[in-house]
Amino acid sequence: LSSLTLFHLPNVRRLSLNIPKPLEGRKFVWPDMTSPPVNIYLTSLELAFTFLDEHDLAHVLKTCPRLRSLKYDLWTTVKDYEVTETEEAILRLSELQQALLPVKATLETFHLHIEKYHWASGSWNEYWEHIIGHMPFHDFPELSTLHVPLQVLLGDRTATRDLKATLPRTLINLWINLDGFDFPEEDCPGNSPVYGDEAILSTMMDLFDHRQICTPSLQILEILVGQVDRLVLDQWDPDLLANVLEPRGIEVGVDVVVDMVMRRNSACI
């Protein structure tokens, strides 16, 4: 059967899938067609803990051009070699942006989570060498809820991109994951975050200062601060972020929430 069969079920409006990594030597098979059958009913799609990369996602989204809600939760490890070595897929955000083109005009909610999965070692980390580029959303005409890692919007630590220029004027809810450093297996310091507290505060305050021009509909900003229970250099200070951003949010009419989230574990798989 074609891997797209599930996406052609008649009258299905909401679909949630957990797609495991293909067996050794196997891969996802897509039909060779320029105009795949279209599902005119599917409006909500959740791909949880999936190994479908941005190229596979492009095949899927061509079949459901009226999608209004998409949750794309990607593990990027594609192959295990030995106990201590894995091959990491490289996610190019420019290609993910191309994959979203079929649903760009209708998409109202987009959740994106990207994480490396080390099966052989049993460790999970969010070091961003496997992510290339950045991804703006300013020209998504219906997008009202966006949940993405900050680095997807801004790029790596050497970038000087403007957060407010990447967001659509229609945005009401903005959820931002703060992740992008190594979670070490031993009690030793990991890599510093891609963006430190001061850079995050400066970026968010600049967004508030220009809210009426760039995101006049913004009502909620939720910042999800990644934390680990091991020694990691320069973990973010959620109290500092909340103490600075919450009062400024009140001044400009944005409800700011800063929450801590712990890293994933094997129970999530």
Side-chain angles (χ1 to χ4, degrees), residues 3-20:
S3 299
L4 289 177
T5 302
L6 281 174
F7 301 95
H8 300 307
L9 297 175
N11 299 321
V12 173
R13 288 169 171 75
R14 301 175 60 87
L15 187 59
S16 179
L17 299 174
N18 187 322
I19 303 177

Side-chain angles (χ1 to χ4, degrees), residues 155-194:
D156 61 30
R157 70 179 75 231
T158 64
T160 57
R161 296 185 180 91
D162 187 348
L163 174 63
K164 61 184 182 294
T166 70
L167 302 175
R169 288 179 56 82
T170 53
L171 197 63
I172 297 175
N173 306 300
L174 176 60
W175 295 7
I176 289 181
N177 290 346
L178 295 187
D179 42 27
F181 64 87
D182 222 8
F183 293 152
E185 294 185 57
E186 305 297 335
D187 290 333
C188 59
N191 296 307
S192 299
V194 174

Side-chain angles (χ1 to χ4, degrees), residues 163-230:
L163 174 63
K164 61 184 182 294
T166 70
L167 302 175
R169 288 179 56 82
T170 53
L171 197 63
I172 297 175
N173 306 300
L174 176 60
W175 295 7
I176 289 181
N177 290 346
L178 295 187
D179 42 27
F181 64 87
D182 222 8
F183 293 152
E185 294 185 57
E186 305 297 335
D187 290 333
C188 59
N191 296 307
S192 299
V194 174
Y195 296 99
D197 290 328
E198 293 303 319
I200 293 167
L201 289 174
S202 176
T203 298
M204 298 306 165
M205 295 296 271
D206 181 59
L207 173 63
F208 288 156
D209 291 343
H210 297 87
R211 172 181 172 271
Q212 291 300 328
I213 298 174
C214 302
T215 54
S217 300
L218 186 64
Q219 296 178 10
I220 296 175
L221 170 64
E222 181 155 355
I223 300 177
L224 303 177
V225 183
Q227 296 283 284
V228 293
D229 55 359
R230 299 174 182 173

Side-chain angles (χ1 to χ4, degrees), residues 88 147 185 219 257:
E88 295 294 342
H147 181 180
E185 294 185 57
Q219 296 178 10
V257 179

